Amino acid sequence: MGTTAFSALMDDFRANVAQNRDALLAMAKRNPHMAYQKVNELALFVGSRHRVNLQLHFPVPAKVADVDSYGTENVGIVVDKFRRTFPVPRETVKQKAAEILGPGAKALDAYMYEGKEGVKVVMAAEGRIEVLPGSVHLWCRVDNERVKKYADWLMENVYFVSATG
């Protein structure tokens, strides 16, 4: 995948939401549960074209009705649910978070059990990013340029590392 893998994935997803906006809006008004199911079907479809499992999370159930926010926040991307360790040093994942996301971001070791590793990036008022060896969960706005840049870096350097040598 190219350097803009995350951005391309999210652009593709947002375009699909835009194409289906009227139907999703009608569904969200009539039956929010059905709208939730449909938008996640759309996410699975788009994700499959990018070789990932794209998931939308709705920590505030009322947000299901906000069709225009689909794909802009609270996104999960699973690349390999069985991967337990990063293909790059965990310190690099943390250092890149601080470098790209800026001084308000604090990268911490997290989810370290049973031989697994992970990083939690806390960004002041903006939310958090949970970086695991096989997935990333963005509990924040994903249309923020710094967040996109970090997620693109993760896609290229952690999730879709090209085998060389």
Side-chain angles (χ1 to χ4, degrees):
M1 292 209 124
T3 55
T4 58
F6 175 79
S7 295
L9 169 67
M10 296 317 299
D11 289 348
D12 189 6
F13 178 71
R14 295 282 301 146
N16 274 272
V17 167
Q19 274 185 308
N20 294 283
R21 184 177 186 275
D22 293 343
L24 288 167
L25 271 173
M27 235 178 275
K29 283 187 180 119
R30 245 187 357 264
N31 184 342
H33 181 71
M34 186 182 280
Y36 172 82
Q37 285 183 298
K38 283 293 171 199
V39 76
N40 273 297
E41 280 177 25
L42 198 55
L44 280 172
F45 167 72
V46 172
S48 71
R49 295 196 314 209
H50 293 263
R51 300 187 342 246
V52 301
N53 178 344
L54 175 63
Q55 305 165 342
L56 267 60
H57 303 295
F58 293 92
V60 178
K63 287 291 266 182
V64 171
D66 185 4
V67 172
D68 293 326
S69 74
Y70 291 178
T72 64
E73 60 189 0
N74 303 325
V75 172
I77 300 170
V78 180
V79 179
D80 179 353
K81 67 182 179 182
F82 300 109
R83 190 186 291 172
R84 300 166 67 88
T85 58
F86 291 113
V88 297
R90 189 171 62 255
E91 287 306 314
T92 303
V93 174
K94 290 163 50 178
Q95 178 223 330
K96 280 293 180 183
E99 185 183 304
I100 295 170
L101 297 169
K106 194 178 298 287
L108 313 162
D109 288 335
Y111 318 105
M112 310 283 285
Y113 59 91
E114 296 175 2
K116 296 179 183 171
E117 58 183 351
V119 171
K120 180 188 282 189
V121 182
V122 180
M123 302 174 297
E126 295 157 282
R128 72 185 190 281
I129 301 173
E130 296 169 2
V131 186
L132 301 169
S135 63
V136 61
H137 302 274
L138 302 114
W139 299 98
C140 60
R141 297 286 304 193
V142 300
D143 53 358
N144 169 314
E145 283 308 310
R146 290 175 300 136
V147 170
K148 275 201 284 196
K149 187 174 178 185
Y150 182 59
D152 281 334
W153 181 87
L154 288 170
M155 288 294 173
E156 182 170 314
N157 295 282
V158 176
Y159 302 119
F160 292 101
V161 182
S162 51
T164 54

PDB file of all heavy atoms in Angstrom, residues 6 9-10 13 54-57 70-77 136-140 142:
ATOM      1  N   PHE A   6      -4.234   5.011   4.619  1.00  0.00           N
ATOM      2  CA  PHE A   6      -5.343   5.357   5.505  1.00  0.00           C
ATOM      3  C   PHE A   6      -6.207   6.433   4.861  1.00  0.00           C
ATOM      4  O   PHE A   6      -7.433   6.325   4.827  1.00  0.00           O
ATOM      5  CB  PHE A   6      -4.817   5.821   6.868  1.00  0.00           C
ATOM      6  CG  PHE A   6      -5.912   6.313   7.774  1.00  0.00           C
ATOM      7  CD1 PHE A   6      -6.721   5.422   8.452  1.00  0.00           C
ATOM      8  CD2 PHE A   6      -6.141   7.671   7.941  1.00  0.00           C
ATOM      9  CE1 PHE A   6      -7.749   5.869   9.276  1.00  0.00           C
ATOM     10  CE2 PHE A   6      -7.159   8.133   8.757  1.00  0.00           C
ATOM     11  CZ  PHE A   6      -7.951   7.228   9.433  1.00  0.00           C
ATOM     12  N   LEU A   9      -8.287   4.972   2.083  1.00  0.00           N
ATOM     13  CA  LEU A   9      -9.356   4.153   2.655  1.00  0.00           C
ATOM     14  C   LEU A   9     -10.503   5.040   3.136  1.00  0.00           C
ATOM     15  O   LEU A   9     -11.673   4.810   2.810  1.00  0.00           O
ATOM     16  CB  LEU A   9      -8.809   3.311   3.820  1.00  0.00           C
ATOM     17  CG  LEU A   9      -9.831   2.598   4.706  1.00  0.00           C
ATOM     18  CD1 LEU A   9     -10.554   1.513   3.918  1.00  0.00           C
ATOM     19  CD2 LEU A   9      -9.146   2.007   5.927  1.00  0.00           C
ATOM     20  N   MET A  10     -10.170   6.080   3.899  1.00  0.00           N
ATOM     21  CA  MET A  10     -11.210   6.941   4.450  1.00  0.00           C
ATOM     22  C   MET A  10     -11.890   7.760   3.351  1.00  0.00           C
ATOM     23  O   MET A  10     -13.105   7.968   3.403  1.00  0.00           O
ATOM     24  CB  MET A  10     -10.644   7.837   5.553  1.00  0.00           C
ATOM     25  CG  MET A  10     -10.134   7.064   6.774  1.00  0.00           C
ATOM     26  SD  MET A  10     -11.183   5.692   7.361  1.00  0.00           S
ATOM     27  CE  MET A  10     -12.685   6.532   7.782  1.00  0.00           C
ATOM     28  N   PHE A  13     -14.289   5.407   1.683  1.00  0.00           N
ATOM     29  CA  PHE A  13     -15.449   5.174   2.542  1.00  0.00           C
ATOM     30  C   PHE A  13     -16.389   6.382   2.525  1.00  0.00           C
ATOM     31  O   PHE A  13     -17.597   6.243   2.359  1.00  0.00           O
ATOM     32  CB  PHE A  13     -15.023   4.846   3.981  1.00  0.00           C
ATOM     33  CG  PHE A  13     -16.204   4.647   4.879  1.00  0.00           C
ATOM     34  CD1 PHE A  13     -16.993   3.513   4.754  1.00  0.00           C
ATOM     35  CD2 PHE A  13     -16.565   5.607   5.810  1.00  0.00           C
ATOM     36  CE1 PHE A  13     -18.121   3.339   5.553  1.00  0.00           C
ATOM     37  CE2 PHE A  13     -17.683   5.442   6.603  1.00  0.00           C
ATOM     38  CZ  PHE A  13     -18.464   4.300   6.481  1.00  0.00           C
ATOM     39  N   LEU A  54     -12.646  -2.636   8.173  1.00  0.00           N
ATOM     40  CA  LEU A  54     -12.953  -1.278   8.629  1.00  0.00           C
ATOM     41  C   LEU A  54     -14.209  -1.332   9.487  1.00  0.00           C
ATOM     42  O   LEU A  54     -15.206  -1.928   9.092  1.00  0.00           O
ATOM     43  CB  LEU A  54     -13.177  -0.361   7.416  1.00  0.00           C
ATOM     44  CG  LEU A  54     -13.618   1.072   7.695  1.00  0.00           C
ATOM     45  CD1 LEU A  54     -12.550   1.824   8.492  1.00  0.00           C
ATOM     46  CD2 LEU A  54     -13.896   1.789   6.377  1.00  0.00           C
ATOM     47  N   GLN A  55     -14.135  -0.709  10.667  1.00  0.00           N
ATOM     48  CA  GLN A  55     -15.270  -0.715  11.583  1.00  0.00           C
ATOM     49  C   GLN A  55     -15.544   0.708  12.054  1.00  0.00           C
ATOM     50  O   GLN A  55     -14.615   1.460  12.325  1.00  0.00           O
ATOM     51  CB  GLN A  55     -14.959  -1.580  12.811  1.00  0.00           C
ATOM     52  CG  GLN A  55     -14.558  -2.977  12.473  1.00  0.00           C
ATOM     53  CD  GLN A  55     -13.918  -3.711  13.651  1.00  0.00           C
ATOM     54  OE1 GLN A  55     -13.465  -3.118  14.614  1.00  0.00           O
ATOM     55  NE2 GLN A  55     -13.877  -5.031  13.550  1.00  0.00           N
ATOM     56  N   LEU A  56     -16.815   1.032  12.170  1.00  0.00           N
ATOM     57  CA  LEU A  56     -17.208   2.314  12.751  1.00  0.00           C
ATOM     58  C   LEU A  56     -17.740   2.037  14.144  1.00  0.00           C
ATOM     59  O   LEU A  56     -18.495   1.086  14.345  1.00  0.00           O
ATOM     60  CB  LEU A  56     -18.297   2.973  11.911  1.00  0.00           C
ATOM     61  CG  LEU A  56     -17.795   3.948  10.855  1.00  0.00           C
ATOM     62  CD1 LEU A  56     -16.882   3.265   9.878  1.00  0.00           C
ATOM     63  CD2 LEU A  56     -18.930   4.618  10.155  1.00  0.00           C
ATOM     64  N   HIS A  57     -17.321   2.861  15.086  1.00  0.00           N
ATOM     65  CA  HIS A  57     -17.774   2.708  16.472  1.00  0.00           C
ATOM     66  C   HIS A  57     -18.666   3.900  16.811  1.00  0.00           C
ATOM     67  O   HIS A  57     -18.399   5.019  16.376  1.00  0.00           O
ATOM     68  CB  HIS A  57     -16.584   2.665  17.428  1.00  0.00           C
ATOM     69  CG  HIS A  57     -15.605   1.584  17.109  1.00  0.00           C
ATOM     70  ND1 HIS A  57     -15.905   0.246  17.199  1.00  0.00           N
ATOM     71  CD2 HIS A  57     -14.320   1.638  16.690  1.00  0.00           C
ATOM     72  CE1 HIS A  57     -14.832  -0.478  16.848  1.00  0.00           C
ATOM     73  NE2 HIS A  57     -13.876   0.345  16.529  1.00  0.00           N
ATOM     74  N   TYR A  70     -20.261  10.022   9.618  1.00  0.00           N
ATOM     75  CA  TYR A  70     -19.764   8.673   9.339  1.00  0.00           C
ATOM     76  C   TYR A  70     -18.384   8.752   8.691  1.00  0.00           C
ATOM     77  O   TYR A  70     -18.194   9.421   7.682  1.00  0.00           O
ATOM     78  CB  TYR A  70     -20.689   7.916   8.393  1.00  0.00           C
ATOM     79  CG  TYR A  70     -22.041   7.515   8.950  1.00  0.00           C
ATOM     80  CD1 TYR A  70     -22.951   6.862   8.142  1.00  0.00           C
ATOM     81  CD2 TYR A  70     -22.413   7.782  10.257  1.00  0.00           C
ATOM     82  CE1 TYR A  70     -24.199   6.473   8.617  1.00  0.00           C
ATOM     83  CE2 TYR A  70     -23.659   7.399  10.735  1.00  0.00           C
ATOM     84  CZ  TYR A  70     -24.546   6.749   9.915  1.00  0.00           C
ATOM     85  OH  TYR A  70     -25.777   6.368  10.382  1.00  0.00           O
ATOM     86  N   GLY A  71     -17.424   8.049   9.268  1.00  0.00           N
ATOM     87  CA  GLY A  71     -16.082   8.002   8.691  1.00  0.00           C
ATOM     88  C   GLY A  71     -15.204   9.172   9.092  1.00  0.00           C
ATOM     89  O   GLY A  71     -14.091   9.294   8.596  1.00  0.00           O
ATOM     90  N   THR A  72     -15.688  10.029  10.005  1.00  0.00           N
ATOM     91  CA  THR A  72     -14.858  11.157  10.441  1.00  0.00           C
ATOM     92  C   THR A  72     -14.350  10.972  11.863  1.00  0.00           C
ATOM     93  O   THR A  72     -13.495  11.732  12.310  1.00  0.00           O
ATOM     94  CB  THR A  72     -15.631  12.500  10.382  1.00  0.00           C
ATOM     95  OG1 THR A  72     -16.727  12.457  11.299  1.00  0.00           O
ATOM     96  CG2 THR A  72     -16.130  12.782   8.975  1.00  0.00           C
ATOM     97  N   GLU A  73     -14.868   9.987  12.579  1.00  0.00           N
ATOM     98  CA  GLU A  73     -14.461   9.782  13.975  1.00  0.00           C
ATOM     99  C   GLU A  73     -14.750   8.356  14.411  1.00  0.00           C
ATOM    100  O   GLU A  73     -15.554   7.662  13.799  1.00  0.00           O
ATOM    101  CB  GLU A  73     -15.193  10.773  14.891  1.00  0.00           C
ATOM    102  CG  GLU A  73     -16.709  10.626  14.844  1.00  0.00           C
ATOM    103  CD  GLU A  73     -17.459  11.726  15.582  1.00  0.00           C
ATOM    104  OE1 GLU A  73     -16.810  12.621  16.149  1.00  0.00           O
ATOM    105  OE2 GLU A  73     -18.691  11.694  15.574  1.00  0.00           O
ATOM    106  N   ASN A  74     -14.043   7.935  15.462  1.00  0.00           N
ATOM    107  CA  ASN A  74     -14.272   6.641  16.098  1.00  0.00           C
ATOM    108  C   ASN A  74     -14.276   5.482  15.103  1.00  0.00           C
ATOM    109  O   ASN A  74     -15.269   4.810  14.886  1.00  0.00           O
ATOM    110  CB  ASN A  74     -15.580   6.678  16.911  1.00  0.00           C
ATOM    111  CG  ASN A  74     -15.557   7.787  17.935  1.00  0.00           C
ATOM    112  OD1 ASN A  74     -14.522   8.095  18.516  1.00  0.00           O
ATOM    113  ND2 ASN A  74     -16.686   8.421  18.156  1.00  0.00           N
ATOM    114  N   VAL A  75     -13.092   5.270  14.524  1.00  0.00           N
ATOM    115  CA  VAL A  75     -12.898   4.279  13.475  1.00  0.00           C
ATOM    116  C   VAL A  75     -11.921   3.208  13.957  1.00  0.00           C
ATOM    117  O   VAL A  75     -10.917   3.513  14.599  1.00  0.00           O
ATOM    118  CB  VAL A  75     -12.322   4.968  12.211  1.00  0.00           C
ATOM    119  CG1 VAL A  75     -11.921   3.958  11.161  1.00  0.00           C
ATOM    120  CG2 VAL A  75     -13.317   5.968  11.648  1.00  0.00           C
ATOM    121  N   GLY A  76     -12.217   1.963  13.621  1.00  0.00           N
ATOM    122  CA  GLY A  76     -11.309   0.862  13.903  1.00  0.00           C
ATOM    123  C   GLY A  76     -10.898   0.202  12.594  1.00  0.00           C
ATOM    124  O   GLY A  76     -11.724   0.051  11.689  1.00  0.00           O
ATOM    125  N   ILE A  77      -9.621  -0.155  12.497  1.00  0.00           N
ATOM    126  CA  ILE A  77      -9.127  -0.840  11.306  1.00  0.00           C
ATOM    127  C   ILE A  77      -8.336  -2.061  11.762  1.00  0.00           C
ATOM    128  O   ILE A  77      -7.319  -1.924  12.445  1.00  0.00           O
ATOM    129  CB  ILE A  77      -8.231   0.086  10.458  1.00  0.00           C
ATOM    130  CG1 ILE A  77      -9.023   1.316  10.021  1.00  0.00           C
ATOM    131  CG2 ILE A  77      -7.665  -0.675   9.254  1.00  0.00           C
ATOM    132  CD1 ILE A  77      -8.170   2.397   9.397  1.00  0.00           C
ATOM    133  N   VAL A 136      -5.665  -0.707  14.548  1.00  0.00           N
ATOM    134  CA  VAL A 136      -5.607   0.632  15.129  1.00  0.00           C
ATOM    135  C   VAL A 136      -7.050   1.081  15.356  1.00  0.00           C
ATOM    136  O   VAL A 136      -7.929   0.835  14.528  1.00  0.00           O
ATOM    137  CB  VAL A 136      -4.817   1.634  14.240  1.00  0.00           C
ATOM    138  CG1 VAL A 136      -5.450   1.794  12.870  1.00  0.00           C
ATOM    139  CG2 VAL A 136      -4.654   2.978  14.934  1.00  0.00           C
ATOM    140  N   HIS A 137      -7.279   1.683  16.512  1.00  0.00           N
ATOM    141  CA  HIS A 137      -8.606   2.179  16.869  1.00  0.00           C
ATOM    142  C   HIS A 137      -8.458   3.658  17.193  1.00  0.00           C
ATOM    143  O   HIS A 137      -7.740   4.025  18.121  1.00  0.00           O
ATOM    144  CB  HIS A 137      -9.181   1.381  18.037  1.00  0.00           C
ATOM    145  CG  HIS A 137      -9.261  -0.075  17.712  1.00  0.00           C
ATOM    146  ND1 HIS A 137     -10.335  -0.631  17.051  1.00  0.00           N
ATOM    147  CD2 HIS A 137      -8.370  -1.079  17.889  1.00  0.00           C
ATOM    148  CE1 HIS A 137     -10.108  -1.926  16.854  1.00  0.00           C
ATOM    149  NE2 HIS A 137      -8.921  -2.218  17.353  1.00  0.00           N
ATOM    150  N   LEU A 138      -9.115   4.477  16.394  1.00  0.00           N
ATOM    151  CA  LEU A 138      -8.991   5.927  16.512  1.00  0.00           C
ATOM    152  C   LEU A 138     -10.250   6.472  17.185  1.00  0.00           C
ATOM    153  O   LEU A 138     -11.299   6.595  16.551  1.00  0.00           O
ATOM    154  CB  LEU A 138      -8.791   6.550  15.126  1.00  0.00           C
ATOM    155  CG  LEU A 138      -7.558   5.991  14.400  1.00  0.00           C
ATOM    156  CD1 LEU A 138      -7.946   5.213  13.168  1.00  0.00           C
ATOM    157  CD2 LEU A 138      -6.589   7.091  14.068  1.00  0.00           C
ATOM    158  N   TRP A 139     -10.127   6.766  18.474  1.00  0.00           N
ATOM    159  CA  TRP A 139     -11.236   7.298  19.258  1.00  0.00           C
ATOM    160  C   TRP A 139     -11.116   8.815  19.263  1.00  0.00           C
ATOM    161  O   TRP A 139     -10.899   9.438  20.302  1.00  0.00           O
ATOM    162  CB  TRP A 139     -11.205   6.727  20.665  1.00  0.00           C
ATOM    163  CG  TRP A 139     -11.353   5.239  20.677  1.00  0.00           C
ATOM    164  CD1 TRP A 139     -10.351   4.316  20.766  1.00  0.00           C
ATOM    165  CD2 TRP A 139     -12.565   4.497  20.545  1.00  0.00           C
ATOM    166  NE1 TRP A 139     -10.880   3.050  20.706  1.00  0.00           N
ATOM    167  CE2 TRP A 139     -12.236   3.128  20.576  1.00  0.00           C
ATOM    168  CE3 TRP A 139     -13.907   4.864  20.408  1.00  0.00           C
ATOM    169  CZ2 TRP A 139     -13.190   2.129  20.477  1.00  0.00           C
ATOM    170  CZ3 TRP A 139     -14.856   3.862  20.316  1.00  0.00           C
ATOM    171  CH2 TRP A 139     -14.496   2.510  20.354  1.00  0.00           C
ATOM    172  N   CYS A 140     -11.186   9.379  18.068  1.00  0.00           N
ATOM    173  CA  CYS A 140     -10.985  10.810  17.886  1.00  0.00           C
ATOM    174  C   CYS A 140     -11.452  11.168  16.484  1.00  0.00           C
ATOM    175  O   CYS A 140     -11.891  10.304  15.732  1.00  0.00           O
ATOM    176  CB  CYS A 140      -9.502  11.165  18.048  1.00  0.00           C
ATOM    177  SG  CYS A 140      -8.418  10.317  16.861  1.00  0.00           S
ATOM    178  N   VAL A 142     -10.884  11.651  12.775  1.00  0.00           N
ATOM    179  CA  VAL A 142      -9.873  11.093  11.872  1.00  0.00           C
ATOM    180  C   VAL A 142      -9.664  11.974  10.650  1.00  0.00           C
ATOM    181  O   VAL A 142      -8.803  11.694   9.826  1.00  0.00           O
ATOM    182  CB  VAL A 142     -10.191   9.642  11.434  1.00  0.00           C
ATOM    183  CG1 VAL A 142     -10.267   8.725  12.639  1.00  0.00           C
ATOM    184  CG2 VAL A 142     -11.468   9.574  10.616  1.00  0.00           C
TER     185      VAL A 142
END
